[in-house]
Amino acid sequence: QVQLVESGGGLVQPGGSLRLSCAASGSIFRINAMGWYRQAPGKERELVAGITSGGGTNYADSMKGRFTISRDNAKSTVYLQMNSLKPEDTAVYYCTAGRAYGNTWSFDYWGQGTQVTVSS
């Protein structure tokens, strides 16, 4: 099993920034990709971004430009830098981990989620 622990959520004003972190532990040899999804109230969970251990990335089109995913392989940690936040970015953000082969991404492990609220 792989355990994922998120941190960094909170309340931020529109136009502000937040950085989320997620540390993986346990059987991390099972994974070569980590990422973030989010789920807003009344909506389905959606991909934000993913990143492989080699640095390859996959972003949802709507997230490109404002959100940046990165990782520290030595710490088994993935980060999500979110800039120019909008109220519609309000959601629970979930860390996820799995494997990526070429353009196929499969996420099998999930964190408990961290709330991000964008409001004045």
Side-chain angles (χ1 to χ4, degrees):
Q1 286 293 329
V2 175
Q3 293 78 44
L4 302 172
V5 178
E6 302 113 331
S7 61
L11 174 64
V12 63
Q13 292 187 343
S17 298
L18 275 178
R19 190 176 83 151
L20 305 182
S21 301
C22 173
S25 62
S27 302
I28 58 175
F29 62 89
R30 296 178 182 271
I31 63 173
N32 72 341
M34 298 180 71
W36 294 93
Y37 276 68
R38 71 182 187 184
Q39 187 166 19
K43 294 188 177 182
E44 294 187 352
R45 192 174 295 190
E46 62 175 348
L47 171 71
V48 176
I51 187 167
T52 68
S53 55
T57 58
N58 179 29
Y59 287 92
D61 288 341
S62 60
M63 314 296 174
K64 292 179 181 177
R66 295 190 300 123
F67 292 5
T68 302
I69 191 169
S70 60
R71 68 184 291 168
D72 183 334
N73 288 333
K75 297 181 179 179
S76 299
T77 298
V78 64
Y79 306 96
L80 183 68
Q81 178 67 42
M82 304 184 292
N83 298 327
S84 302
L85 283 162
K86 305 174 183 179
E88 51 263 44
D89 295 317
T90 295
V92 178
Y93 284 71
Y94 294 92
C95 179
T96 185
R99 299 198 66 83
Y101 301 96
N103 293 325
T104 300
W105 298 67
S106 177
F107 291 118
D108 303 307
Y109 305 99
W110 296 86
Q112 294 200 347
T114 185
Q115 177 70 46
V116 172
T117 301
V118 185
S119 176
S120 56

